[in-house]
């Protein structure tokens, strides 16, 4: 009796697996989107909404970083690549870029820090190690702990190209591997400073105004707030019919609405 | 009869195939790592790669020496804390503790090994890092913080295996020792512990393997600064953290250099295993013609 029951379960599992393996591809079209982990949550939301009205298309969104997005689009492994940084001219080769939005980068400090405003120059000197104490920029006598992202991160490279000029983030800066862990580290350390994306901001940390402009949707849209970066889709050659449909939907009012809801500033 | 021989034959061959299969998979992985990592050695120079002090992928600098030191320091520091703790715990559980306590302790320790490393890492980030920062200064992200978490992570491995080997020591040994008038502690120290030493060393090797291979917890709390630490409260980057941090972004030579890092890690683990095997062999106890 028992072994008979087991046999039935095994057969049922086999049928389900066979169904899963054989069926895909037959009933719907597949779009693979690969790349920047900063763009990923937005595209997941977009894909979710798009596929609910287009049941014949399935969109697989995968992270891995901007570099991975560029690589897999070039190799044809992904239909669409996501990048959160401007491409260099060698990276650009054979690829079409479509900017879907832009996002602010917020300089964050602990809520216990009394600093409210820093100039670009001050931020630069804090991150390259010329300024090491908060009292040098009008704060309390406390050592500054710089927290940065890993080399290659889209947020980091955008931050570097806007703020750092030809100087480098100091070698002794603590490296954290995600926006969320940067935020955690900054929140718990009164002496810390770090950069996080605008969409991830909440009350755990305090945003710093840059040259008197505080980061908000309005100041990012009119480019008054200078710390911002593009969200780019990459396509190799002519996109497939379905990828094209997805892309034009993103630019439609319905798509734009979702981009806005995710605190990203849509680009026409 | 005929049927029996056939099934014996089939079972034997399928066992051979499974054994070969796992070896082939390991070989394929090694081959893949070597192939992907080799261009980095070719372009950058093996010794320059190994002993280079500077890791700056965007400037084309790929020296992993600081990370080799970082990995070894973190591992050693955690073993220094974990080995005495876990051996004493294992001795207590195997020789001293009454059954009722053992029945509680064993599952608790086994649960420790079941906790995912991201949970350890998050605990370290939220709880330990601020404690270290307020008590020892600095940022709180340090070799010491990472070693503390790794200590907790390797405890169950060392405790469980060394406890098993302590309990595997034949009962006659204890009786003989007690019969000669030795106290309980004398018996443990001079008879049971030496007899169980090969197993204990195995447990330490496995613990070391876990510590050096641990990635996520190290990324979250070691600070990931590429430098040779001046004190145990300085942040470090381990080899595993380096690979995991940058693999998502790496292209070209940078990508190969990360696989190069994996080869270096691989070599370190092989060297450590060789040393450990040698020690294990040296201290093997010869009893009545057989090994213990």
């Amino acid at each position: 009796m028992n072994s008979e029951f087991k046999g039935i379960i095994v057969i049922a599992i086999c049928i389900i697996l066979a169904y899963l393996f054989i069926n895909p591809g037959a009933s719907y079209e597949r779009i693979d989107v690969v790349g920047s982990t900063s763009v990923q949550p937005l595209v997941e939301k977009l894909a979710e909404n798009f596929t609910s009205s287009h049941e014949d298309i399935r969109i697989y969104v995968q992270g891995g970083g901007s570099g991975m997005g560029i690589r897999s689009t070039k190799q044809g492994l992904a239909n669409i690549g996501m990048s959160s940084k401007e491409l260099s001219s060698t990276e650009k080769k054979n690829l079409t870029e479509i900017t879907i939005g832009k996002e602010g980068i917020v300089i964050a400090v602990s809520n216990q820090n009394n600093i409210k405003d820093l100039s670009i120059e001050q931020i630069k000197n804090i991150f390259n190690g010329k300024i090491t104490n908060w009292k040098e920029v009008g704060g309390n006598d406390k050592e500054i702990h710089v927290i940065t992202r890993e080399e290659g991160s889209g947020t980091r490279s955008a931050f570097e190209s806007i703020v750092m000029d030809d100087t480098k983030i100091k070698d002794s800066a603590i490296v954290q591997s995600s926006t969320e862990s940067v935020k955690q580290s900054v929140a718990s350390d009164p002496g810390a400073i770090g950069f996080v994306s605008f969409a991830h901001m909440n009350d755990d940390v305090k945003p710093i105004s840059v040259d008197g402009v505080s980061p908000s949707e309005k100041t990012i849209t009119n480019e008054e707030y200078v710390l911002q970066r593009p969200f780019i889709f990459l396509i190799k050659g002519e996109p497939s019919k379905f990828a094209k449909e997805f892309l034009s939907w993103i630019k439609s009012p319905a798509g734009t609405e979702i981009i806005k809801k995710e605190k990203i500033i849509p680009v026409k | 009869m005929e049927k029996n021989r056939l099934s014996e034959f089939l079972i034997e061959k399928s066992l051979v195939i499974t054994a070969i299969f796992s070896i082939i998979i390991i070989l394929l992985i090694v081959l893949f790592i070597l192939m992907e990592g080799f261009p980095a050695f070719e372009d950058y120079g093996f010794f320059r790669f190994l002993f280079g002090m500077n890791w700056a992928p965007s400037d084309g600098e790929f020296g992993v020496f600081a990370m080799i030191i970082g990995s070894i320091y973190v591992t050693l520091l955690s073993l220094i804390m974990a080995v005495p703790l876990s051996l004493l715990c294992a001795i207590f559980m195997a020789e001293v503790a009454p059954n009722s306590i053992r029945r509680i302790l064993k599952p608790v320790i086994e649960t420790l090994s079941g906790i995912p490393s991201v949970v350890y890492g998050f605990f370290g980030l939220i709880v330990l890092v601020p404690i270290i920062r307020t008590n020892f200064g600095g940022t709180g992200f340090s070799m010491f913080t990472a070693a503390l978490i790794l200590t907790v992570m390797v405890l169950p491995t060392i405790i469980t295996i060394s406890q098993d080997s302590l309990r595997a020591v034949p009962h006659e040994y204890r009786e003989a020792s007690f019969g000669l008038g030795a106290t309980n502690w004398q018996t443990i120290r001079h008879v049971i512990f030496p007899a169980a030493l090969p197993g204990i060393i195995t447990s330490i090797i496995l613990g070391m393997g876990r510590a050096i291979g641990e990635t996520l917890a190290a990324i979250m709390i070691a600070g990931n600064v590429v430098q040779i630490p001046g004190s145990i409260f300085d942040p470090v980057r381990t080899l595993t953290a380096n690979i995991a941090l940058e693999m998502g972004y790496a292209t070209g030579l940078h990508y190969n250099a990360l696989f190069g890092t994996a080869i270096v890690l691989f070599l370190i683990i092989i060297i450590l295993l060789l040393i450990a095997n040698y020690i294990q062999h040296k201290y093997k106890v010869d009893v009545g013609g057989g090994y213990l």
Side-chain angles (χ1 to χ4, degrees):
Chain A
M1 173 64 199
N2 201 3
S3 74
E4 210 172 285
F5 187 61
K6 270 187 198 157
I8 291 171
I9 290 180
V10 169
I11 290 169
I13 290 174
C14 286
I15 292 173
I16 293 169
L17 283 180
Y19 178 81
L20 286 177
F21 276 115
I22 295 164
N23 209 32
S27 63
Y28 56 82
E29 287 299 324
R30 176 182 173 136
I31 304 176
D32 282 291
V33 188
V34 178
S36 163
T37 45
S38 333
V39 192
Q40 189 186 4
L42 170 69
V43 177
E44 273 167 3
K45 272 274 154 53
L46 287 169
E48 200 180 292
N49 282 278
F50 177 71
T51 45
S52 65
S53 56
H54 296 74
E55 273 165 10
D56 52 336
I57 300 177
R58 294 225 181 147
I59 300 175
Y60 293 88
V61 188
Q62 203 189 324
S66 300
M68 176 113 145
I70 297 166
R71 218 168 41 240
S72 18
T73 316
K74 269 199 182 151
Q75 291 169 356
L77 299 173
N79 306 87
I80 301 174
M82 305 177 278
S83 171
S84 53
K85 58 174 187 189
E86 300 280 3
L87 272 61
S88 72
S89 52
T90 49
E91 286 172 330
K92 237 177 230 177
K93 221 170 168 189
N94 299 334
L95 295 178
T96 318
E97 294 168 277
I98 301 163
T99 307
I100 57 168
K102 47 191 180 183
E103 187 195 40
I105 297 168
V106 179
I107 307 294
V109 296
S110 154
N111 282 322
Q112 295 162 47
N113 198 322
N114 57 357
I115 298 280
K116 287 197 181 63
D117 183 275
L118 290 171
S119 70
I120 286 267
E121 194 63 26
Q122 280 171 327
I123 296 170
K124 183 176 110 183
N125 286 333
I126 286 172
F127 275 87
N128 67 21
K130 270 191 201 133
I131 297 176
T132 55
N133 196 306
W134 283 109
K135 71 178 178 203
E136 292 171 60
V137 289
N140 299 327
D141 182 9
K142 203 165 188 34
E143 202 190 331
I144 299 178
H145 297 151
V146 174
I147 296 169
T148 178
R149 290 286 306 279
E150 70 279 15
E151 187 125 2
S153 141
T155 321
R156 175 173 172 157
S157 55
F159 174 83
E160 279 178 330
S161 65
I162 301 163
V163 177
M164 300 308 288
D165 289 339
D166 43 4
T167 64
K168 283 203 304 200
I169 294 181
K170 65 175 174 182
D171 288 337
S172 60
I174 296 295
V175 180
Q176 283 293 332
S177 57
S178 70
T179 286
E180 211 47 46
S181 49
V182 170
K183 216 170 71 187
Q184 284 297 347
S185 317
V186 171
S188 69
D189 182 355
I193 184 166
F195 48 84
V196 299
S197 57
F198 181 68
H200 284 84
M201 271 306 287
N202 62 10
D203 294 340
D204 292 350
V205 290
K206 189 168 85 172
I208 291 278
S209 302
V210 178
D211 288 328
V213 184
S214 69
S216 72
E217 272 166 54
K218 191 171 147 251
T219 52
I220 295 168
T221 314
N222 61 21
E223 299 197 347
E224 239 179 278
Y225 185 77
V226 290
L227 281 173
Q228 48 177 269
R229 60 168 166 167
F231 278 7
I232 300 171
F233 271 3
L234 303 168
I235 286 161
K236 187 186 177 189
E238 188 65 18
S240 72
K241 178 171 151 256
F242 301 96
K244 218 182 227 167
E245 203 175 324
F246 180 48
L247 289 170
S248 60
W249 179 82
I250 289 175
K251 296 279 180 183
S252 77
T256 313
E257 196 54 42
I258 289 155
I259 296 178
K260 268 188 192 149
K261 222 188 267 168
E262 293 293 302
K263 289 211 215 160
I264 311 294
I265 316 302
V267 168
K268 293 283 153 336
Chain B
M1 205 55 204
E2 186 61 26
K3 198 184 162 198
N4 249 343
R5 259 177 46 205
L6 180 69
S7 72
E8 278 293 317
F9 175 81
L10 285 178
I11 289 169
E12 190 195 317
K13 289 302 165 228
S14 57
L15 286 177
V16 169
I17 289 170
T18 359
I20 290 176
F21 190 64
S22 59
I23 293 174
I24 287 177
I25 289 178
I26 293 174
L27 284 180
L28 280 178
I29 293 174
V30 171
L31 194 71
F32 176 72
I33 294 174
L34 286 177
M35 269 167 49
E36 294 284 353
F38 198 69
F41 296 153
E42 226 169 18
D43 283 18
Y44 195 71
F46 182 68
F47 288 102
R48 213 170 134 218
F49 185 82
L50 206 58
F51 297 111
M53 298 296 297
N54 199 359
W55 176 270
S58 50
D59 303 335
E61 291 286 345
F62 302 104
V64 295
F65 191 67
M67 288 174 263
I68 296 176
I69 297 296
S71 266
I72 292 176
Y73 274 9
V74 170
T75 308
L76 285 184
L77 193 61
S78 67
L79 283 183
I80 287 172
M81 293 188 279
V83 168
L85 254 180
S86 43
L87 288 193
L88 292 176
C89 181
I91 289 172
F92 172 74
M93 283 173 66
E95 301 296 325
V96 186
N99 265 331
S100 55
I101 295 183
R102 189 179 302 144
R103 231 174 282 147
I104 301 170
L105 269 181
K106 202 167 160 76
V108 169
I109 287 166
E110 278 161 4
T111 313
L112 269 186
S113 67
I115 298 175
S117 57
V118 63
V119 176
Y120 279 113
F122 199 64
F123 172 79
L125 180 63
I126 303 295
V127 180
L128 276 184
V129 168
I131 291 176
I132 300 287
R133 178 170 49 236
T134 38
N135 290 309
F136 301 102
T139 54
F141 294 97
S142 70
M143 195 170 106
F144 182 66
T145 326
L148 268 183
I149 283 289
L150 287 182
T151 302
V152 184
M153 294 179 77
V154 300
L155 276 182
T157 314
I158 304 183
I159 292 175
T160 331
I161 298 170
S162 49
Q163 197 215 159
D164 287 345
S165 65
L166 284 169
R167 286 180 76 85
V169 174
H171 213 66
E172 290 79 3
Y173 284 34
R174 290 183 188 88
E175 284 163 358
S177 175
F178 289 141
L180 289 168
T183 63
N184 204 355
W185 175 241
Q186 281 171 330
T187 307
I188 291 170
R189 218 187 119 189
H190 297 293
V191 178
I192 297 175
F193 190 76
L197 198 59
I200 289 171
I201 292 173
T202 309
S203 76
I204 296 173
I205 298 170
L206 290 174
M208 184 181 72
R210 171 134 205 221
I212 205 168
E214 178 47 46
T215 313
L216 206 53
I219 286 184
M220 290 171 87
I221 52 187
N224 305 316
V225 177
V226 184
Q227 63 177 12
I228 291 179
S231 89
I232 57 169
F233 299 111
D234 280 347
V236 291
R237 183 183 289 197
T238 62
L239 289 165
T240 48
N242 189 47
I243 301 171
L245 269 177
E246 294 176 2
M247 189 47 92
Y249 312 108
T251 47
L253 192 59
H254 185 193
Y255 179 79
N256 297 125
L258 291 180
F259 275 99
T261 315
I263 296 176
V264 172
L265 187 64
F266 201 65
L267 289 177
I268 291 177
I269 291 173
I270 288 174
I271 291 169
L272 288 176
L273 278 180
L274 285 178
I275 294 173
N277 263 330
Y278 172 74
I279 295 174
Q280 195 179 16
H281 187 75
K282 209 176 150 192
Y283 287 100
K284 250 182 189 166
V285 185
D286 204 353
V287 197
Y291 286 131
L292 253 185

